[in-house]
Amino acid sequence: MTESFKTGVGGVDRSVAILDCVESRPMGTSELARTLGLTVSTAHRLVTALAAHGLLRRDADGRFHLGPRFATSALAEVARPVLDELCATAGECVQLWVRRADHRLCVVSVECGEELRASQPEGCLLPLPHGSSAQVLLGEYDPAGPGWVESMQGRAPGVGSVSAPVRLHGDVVAAVCLSAPIQRLDPSPGARYGAQVVAAAARIEAALA
């Protein structure tokens, strides 16, 4: 391994070396091992862990690229005006959620003006799997369906939501979620707001691309 990657913390040094390599050019496990002077088993263990944390993604040819976690700042930046508009149009709170291991993190939150509302603050970390955004981030939706997932009191009593996936390079990297008190979601969250949430997610995808 190149001297410049050595800080005395071997696992971190090797992981950063892998990220540096794939930032320059996508590589498979064997090529990474040769380039960095690692055994294939060590390289495989490291790329598997980095991919699990969203720091790497693997393409159809088995090559690794920087993962969706590096896109979170850009994702939040392009999503905010879209979610501002969605909130203004629907009159309900909206959020953008990303997955962090077995939790979901709120990276954008826009509150509506209603006195009774279902909001979550930015930076909020909630456990999976409850709620529509959690289902989207876990891949628990029908790709051939309407494009959204709804939840009625799945996370908290009296709260309903509808969420749609945001994809990057074909992978789900975030969920756009509209949440509201259930009495304002007749006949259902999806029937009332699903199309708007899907359209917002599509606009964010297009901006990222």
Side-chain angles (χ1 to χ4, degrees):
M1 185 168 59
T2 306
E3 188 70 26
S4 61
F5 294 127
K6 292 185 178 179
T7 66
V9 185
V12 173
D13 291 340
R14 289 188 288 270
S15 296
V16 172
I18 288 172
L19 296 175
D20 284 344
C21 283
V22 301
E23 184 176 27
S24 299
R25 179 168 56 86
M27 294 185 185
T29 304
S30 297
E31 186 177 4
L32 283 166
R34 290 194 302 271
T35 301
L36 298 173
L38 304 173
T39 64
V40 173
S41 61
T42 296
H44 175 75
R45 176 172 53 84
L46 290 170
V47 297
T48 300
L50 290 168
H53 285 289
L55 295 169
L56 290 178
R57 67 174 180 87
R58 191 174 187 178
D59 64 25
D61 296 321
R63 298 174 302 175
F64 288 94
H65 306 247
L66 291 182
R69 195 153 183 162
F70 288 100
T72 300
S73 294
L75 178 62
E77 183 178 349
V78 301
R80 191 173 299 278
V82 177
L83 297 190
D84 283 340
E85 184 177 328
L86 175 60
C87 177
T89 302
E92 300 293 354
C93 297
V94 294
Q95 307 93 35
L96 185 75
W97 296 87
V98 297
R99 185 173 181 178
R100 292 292 182 262
D102 56 353
H103 287 72
R104 54 189 170 111
L105 172 69
C106 181
V107 294
V108 179
S109 179
V110 184
E111 293 196 5
C112 69
E114 297 285 346
E115 184 175 357
L116 180 62
R117 56 184 181 264
S119 63
Q120 293 291 341
E122 291 182 14
C124 176
L125 193 66
L126 297 177
L128 298 172
H130 305 296
S132 62
S133 63
Q135 292 175 265
V136 167
L137 295 173
L138 288 168
E140 296 176 356
Y141 62 94
D142 181 3
W148 47 259
V149 174
E150 65 179 359
S151 172
M152 290 292 278
Q153 307 189 88
R155 181 187 61 81
V159 175
S161 66
V162 56
S163 297
V166 176
R167 297 178 180 84
L168 181 63
H169 307 298
D171 298 322
V172 174
V173 295
V176 173
C177 177
L178 181 148
S179 56
I182 57 174
Q183 58 263 39
R184 296 205 299 267
L185 293 175
D186 184 55
S188 74
R192 183 154 188 180
Y193 295 115
Q196 290 173 262
V197 172
V198 169
R203 287 177 60 193
I204 296 169
E205 281 186 17
L208 284 175

